[in-house]
Amino acid sequence: EIVLTQSPATLSLSPGERATLSCRASQSISSYLAWYQQKPGQAPRLLFYDASNRATGIPARFSGSGSGTDFTLTISSLEPEDFAVYYCQQRTNWPPMITFGPGTKVDIK
Amino acid sequence: QVQLQESDPGLVKPSQTLSLTCTVSGGSISSGSYYWSWIRQSAGKGLEWIGRIYTSGSTSYNPSLKSRVTISMDTSKNQFSLKLTSVTAADTAVYYCALQLGYFDYWGQGALVTVSS
């Protein structure tokens, strides 16, 4: 099973600052990685698919990059609504398996 | 716009079977090339993919749960369902149904299931 590790576990920043979140896979997953944002009491929301493709309606201040085993989600300038938990997720086609990372919480400093 | 809504079983006793249904609106579960998935989220294990059913009816399950899980679909009601047998306290979680186009593009709001006597 492919294991995803996210760092840091918590990121304390102020509005307007830049956030850099990391996701590392235990083996190469090419670009089969997604990023989600989750706010309290809500389901996760898809931000990026295939590592760097922004989902519909996601603001341009969010960017995703990486391939192989190392991936990054960057928020260029934090808005108040960006304080949330962010998860990465990988998928393998055969055998079919999906795993999520443990999440990075971005909270207000 | 596709919308998904989980049923709400609430409390389930240990050793019993957890049953959840996801009602889909705004699209047909039997058309297109889509996967309809179940995912759960608990404090102890984070987000965990349980399994999925394809529009054709074929299924795939997380190996860690495979012996206890069945996912099925009822096209006449535009619903798909999850059954998890022999539950324990470790199965207490928020259960989500989701539509997987490539990734999980649409989610239900989630249903809290508590396993307790």
Side-chain angles (χ1 to χ4, degrees), chain B residues 59-100:
Chain B
T59 54
S60 301
Y61 300 122
N62 187 323
S64 69
L65 297 167
K66 186 175 183 177
S67 63
R68 299 195 290 133
V69 173
T70 303
I71 296 175
S72 59
M73 63 196 313
D74 184 339
T75 56
S76 67
K77 295 180 180 179
N78 218 35
Q79 296 175 333
F80 63 105
S81 299
L82 167 70
K83 289 191 186 300
L84 181 65
T85 62
S86 305
V87 298
T88 69
D91 295 309
T92 293
V94 175
Y95 285 74
Y96 294 100
C97 56
L99 166 58
Q100 181 186 356

Side-chain angles (χ1 to χ4, degrees), chain A residues 44-103:
Chain A
R45 177 177 71 146
L46 180 66
L47 298 177
F48 287 90
Y49 61 95
D50 290 341
S52 60
N53 295 289
R54 199 176 288 112
T56 303
I58 303 305
R61 64 180 180 274
F62 290 89
S63 62
S65 63
S67 65
T69 61
D70 291 306
F71 301 86
T72 302
L73 173 68
T74 303
I75 311 170
S76 59
S77 178
L78 283 162
E79 296 287 340
E81 62 268 28
D82 299 336
F83 292 93
V85 182
Y86 293 84
Y87 295 95
C88 55
Q89 173 243 315
Q90 67 83 28
R91 62 183 178 95
T92 51
N93 290 331
W94 193 259
M97 185 58 189
I98 291 166
T99 54
F100 292 86

Side-chain angles (χ1 to χ4, degrees), chain A residues 1 31-34 36 38 41-46 49-50 87 89 91 93 96-98 100, chain B residues 37 39 41 46-49 52 60-64 96 100 102-105 107-110:
Chain A
E1 177 180 314
S31 296
Y32 295 125
L33 187 100
Y36 299 84
Q38 188 178 33
Q42 297 183 16
R45 177 177 71 146
L46 180 66
Y49 61 95
D50 290 341
Y87 295 95
Q89 173 243 315
R91 62 183 178 95
N93 290 331
M97 185 58 189
I98 291 166
F100 292 86
Chain B
S37 280
I39 298 155
Q41 185 171 29
L47 287 161
E48 182 178 32
W49 176 69
R52 69 189 185 191
S60 301
Y61 300 122
N62 187 323
S64 69
Y96 294 100
Q100 181 186 356
Y103 296 86
F104 297 113
D105 302 75
W107 297 66
Q109 64 184 29

